[in-house]
Amino acid sequence: MTVWLSESQQKDWRAFVSMVNLLPYQFGRILQDDFGIGLSDYEILVRLSESADRSMRMSELAASTLSSRSRLSHQIDRLEKAGLVARKACMTDRRGSIAEMTETGWQLLVKAAPIHVQSVRDHLVDVLTEDELKTLGEISNKVLEKLTPELQDKIITAPSSDLQS
Amino acid sequence: MTVWLSESQQKDWRAFVSMVNLLPYQFGRILQDDFGIGLSDYEILVRLSESADRSMRMSELAASTLSSRSRLSHQIDRLEKAGLVARKACMTDRRGSIAEMTETGWQLLVKAAPIHVQSVRDHLVDVLTEDELKTLGEISNKVLEKLTPELQDKIITAPSSDLQS
DNA sequence: CAAGATTGACGATTCAATCTTT
DNA sequence: AAAGATTGAATCGTCAATCTTG
């Protein structure tokens, strides 16, 4: 029943909101300017690169990138037109569809990843102490533990057994 | 020259990315479902509500919500159509335009704010210890101090002298 | 010419069907 | 019927002009 935030809480909360707005903007801007892809495109390519055969089923990919099915479909459409990803049929389940990174996509990621990682260092990791980063990880996990149960019907949940990344 | 992240850094970083993706989604979903406005609309209304006469110049509002001018123009268009905000002329500078919250907008905010704040408590503030929230605020400010200088030409900077919120 | 603001076209995301396979 | 995936319409955001005033 205790509503509103204290002055101190509000200060911390608003700083957090600003960070959450600006950080992805900055990461996305670098990727867009230097490589012509968005931050969410980059995340797709990373997931594919880490998977066996550089390919994943659409629903796995949606789950691991916290994307909706339709959003991912549109996004793979665009990546396919750009030649970075290709669709394949799924042999074990004929409803399924598989997204596979092309060689062009791989080569783009190889060039983009070091720049992006450096940007993550410059604007987050290297700005913080080791303890602060560890605390940020703990905070994030706490928040996610509370949040994910409530979103289970709104978010694609991983379909089959596989190793989480 | 040191590239890539350690295993531990990557774990913390990815948890943070997930949080940053899911938290605004959850906040936005509640506002959309219960009140028919987006999270960024809510932020506009909050800023206006805190300002004298419940009104602000467009560029001030853009600066305080970290929005571009054109984005804000479109957004105010929509809020104006929804009857929550109205545009007024600026008397001191005839180039300027002023956005003023309507009574309808105020009444909507009065209803929405407690629900939203409770959601912020439930999913962030009350999930963390006092120390964790304080650290999160410090982290955010550190990141912003590094980030904002680089974005000075990309972001609207407050035009005239006024009290920051 | 620079600053404040808007506009229209284009791209990306969401939402509600739709289609196929299990 | 439910799960996997796609589609098209509508909404939201970005980008490059444009317009007006300082």
Side-chain angles (χ1 to χ4, degrees), chain A residues 1-6 8-27 29 42-43 46-47 50 65-66 113-114 116-118 120-129 132-144 146-148 150-151 154-155 165, chain B residues 1-6 8-27 29 42-43 46-47 50 65-66 113-114 116-118 120-129 132-144 146-148 150-151 154-155 165:
Chain A
M1 199 46 200
T2 55
V3 183
W4 213 241
L5 303 176
S6 73
S8 162
Q9 287 174 328
Q10 188 156 20
K11 215 172 50 56
D12 295 333
W13 159 245
R14 295 213 172 177
F16 175 67
V17 169
S18 294
M19 173 179 70
V20 158
N21 284 332
L22 288 187
L23 258 189
Y25 173 78
Q26 170 71 359
F27 294 143
R29 204 169 61 89
Y42 178 83
E43 283 169 352
V46 168
R47 297 301 165 151
E50 290 169 348
T65 56
L66 303 172
H116 176 67
V117 172
Q118 189 58 48
V120 171
R121 286 198 168 281
D122 289 345
H123 298 101
L124 185 72
V125 174
D126 290 351
V127 173
L128 307 179
T129 66
E132 283 171 336
L133 182 60
K134 190 131 228 65
T135 300
L136 184 59
E138 286 164 9
I139 287 171
S140 302
N141 283 316
K142 272 190 169 185
V143 169
L144 290 172
K146 183 75 195 308
L147 202 51
T148 46
E150 300 179 32
L151 294 175
K154 282 291 178 179
I155 272 194
S165 73
Chain B
M1 199 49 200
T2 56
V3 185
W4 214 242
L5 303 177
S6 72
S8 162
Q9 286 174 329
Q10 190 156 19
K11 216 172 51 49
D12 295 333
W13 160 245
R14 295 215 173 176
F16 175 67
V17 168
S18 293
M19 174 179 70
V20 157
N21 284 331
L22 288 186
L23 259 189
Y25 173 79
Q26 170 71 358
F27 294 143
R29 204 169 61 88
Y42 177 84
E43 283 169 352
V46 167
R47 298 300 166 150
E50 291 169 347
T65 57
L66 302 173
H116 175 68
V117 172
Q118 189 59 49
V120 171
R121 286 198 167 283
D122 290 345
H123 299 101
L124 185 73
V125 173
D126 290 351
V127 172
L128 307 179
T129 66
E132 283 171 336
L133 183 60
K134 191 132 228 63
T135 301
L136 184 59
E138 286 164 9
I139 287 171
S140 303
N141 283 318
K142 271 190 169 186
V143 170
L144 290 171
K146 182 74 194 306
L147 203 51
T148 45
E150 300 180 32
L151 294 175
K154 283 289 179 180
I155 273 195
S165 71

Side-chain angles (χ1 to χ4, degrees), chain A:
Chain A
M1 199 46 200
T2 55
V3 183
W4 213 241
L5 303 176
S6 73
E7 192 114 3
S8 162
Q9 287 174 328
Q10 188 156 20
K11 215 172 50 56
D12 295 333
W13 159 245
R14 295 213 172 177
F16 175 67
V17 169
S18 294
M19 173 179 70
V20 158
N21 284 332
L22 288 187
L23 258 189
Y25 173 78
Q26 170 71 359
F27 294 143
R29 204 169 61 89
I30 291 176
L31 288 168
Q32 194 68 56
D33 291 352
D34 295 0
F35 304 101
I37 60 173
L39 181 53
S40 56
D41 296 325
Y42 178 83
E43 283 169 352
I44 297 288
L45 294 180
V46 168
R47 297 301 165 151
L48 290 177
S49 77
E50 290 169 348
S51 191
D53 302 325
R54 294 178 190 168
S55 64
M56 271 197 233
R57 280 193 59 171
M58 293 297 282
S59 46
E60 278 183 77
L61 195 49
S64 83
T65 56
L66 303 172
S67 176
S68 70
R69 284 190 162 92
S70 74
R71 175 182 172 185
L72 183 64
S73 270
H74 288 303
Q75 199 171 359
I76 297 293
D77 282 349
R78 294 189 294 264
L79 290 170
E80 205 167 16
K81 272 173 201 141
L84 305 177
V85 166
R87 271 186 245 248
K88 290 195 324 182
C90 180
M91 294 126 311
T92 62
D93 183 341
R94 292 210 311 252
R95 292 172 305 180
S97 183
I98 289 179
E100 184 178 41
M101 193 167 36
T102 64
E103 181 60 26
T104 306
W106 171 260
Q107 284 170 8
L108 181 65
L109 184 61
V110 165
K111 280 185 294 186
I115 308 295
H116 176 67
V117 172
Q118 189 58 48
S119 174
V120 171
R121 286 198 168 281
D122 289 345
H123 298 101
L124 185 72
V125 174
D126 290 351
V127 173
L128 307 179
T129 66
E130 282 185 29
D131 281 354
E132 283 171 336
L133 182 60
K134 190 131 228 65
T135 300
L136 184 59
E138 286 164 9
I139 287 171
S140 302
N141 283 316
K142 272 190 169 185
V143 169
L144 290 172
E145 278 169 30
K146 183 75 195 308
L147 202 51
T148 46
E150 300 179 32
L151 294 175
Q152 265 179 357
D153 54 336
K154 282 291 178 179
I155 272 194
I156 309 299
T157 177
S160 56
S161 58
D162 67 307
L163 315 165
Q164 301 298 88
S165 73

